[in-house]
Amino acid sequence: MSLAALTRGAAAGAAGAAALNVATYADMAVRGRSASSVPAQVVEKLLERSGAEVDLGRGDARDNRLEALGALSGLTTGIAVGAAGAWLRDKGVRLPAVIGIVLIGGAAMVASDWPTKALGIDDPVEWSSATWLSDALPHLVYGAVATAVIRGLER
């Protein structure tokens, strides 16, 4: 992958992650729902399973660190998926924009939801339609923004 494609992809992923966060926080504000604790739980389980001894502190400090690490893992996932999308485009994969939006958004959704199932934290198969919608729509926003940035920076 060229450095230019990697840079485009990272920028696209970062922009997409920012847009996903805007969509998620707007949904939280409109519906009055709380933030998900799942990203923090994923980080906690991964740390436990790694066997690494990481002192996160105790009480609120520990909870806050896990929440921050969960958010950082989401941003990292967004940047990585954007880089993968730009890499595919750099390799000649040219899809219609709508398909690109769905595939990139879907890839980000799978990358963030699959660990919850694999680590036994939550099972997306059991989610309500409202839960699916509150997860899918921000990921489609991510896909739209990431796709637009990858294409726009290519010119």
Side-chain angles (χ1 to χ4, degrees), residues 130-143:
T131 302
W132 270 103
L133 199 58
S134 70
D135 195 43
L137 289 179
H139 283 97
L140 283 175
V141 169
Y142 168 89

Side-chain angles (χ1 to χ4, degrees), residues 78-92:
I79 291 168
V81 170
W87 176 79
L88 287 170
R89 191 150 176 93
D90 195 48
K91 295 296 176 195

Side-chain angles (χ1 to χ4, degrees), residues 23-60:
T24 299
Y25 288 123
D27 176 55
M28 290 167 59
V30 168
R31 295 193 306 153
R33 70 174 180 86
S34 63
S36 174
S37 64
V38 169
Q41 292 174 44
V42 168
V43 169
E44 184 174 34
K45 285 272 191 183
L46 288 173
L47 287 173
E48 285 172 8
R49 289 191 179 190
S50 75
E53 292 189 32
V54 179
D55 183 9
L56 297 173
R58 300 199 186 331
D60 287 345

Side-chain angles (χ1 to χ4, degrees), residues 4 19 25 35-36 42 44 57 60 66 93 95 103 113 138 142 145 153:
Y25 288 123
S36 174
V42 168
E44 184 174 34
D60 287 345
L66 285 170
V93 177
L95 301 171
L103 288 179
D113 292 345
Y142 168 89
V145 170
L153 291 178

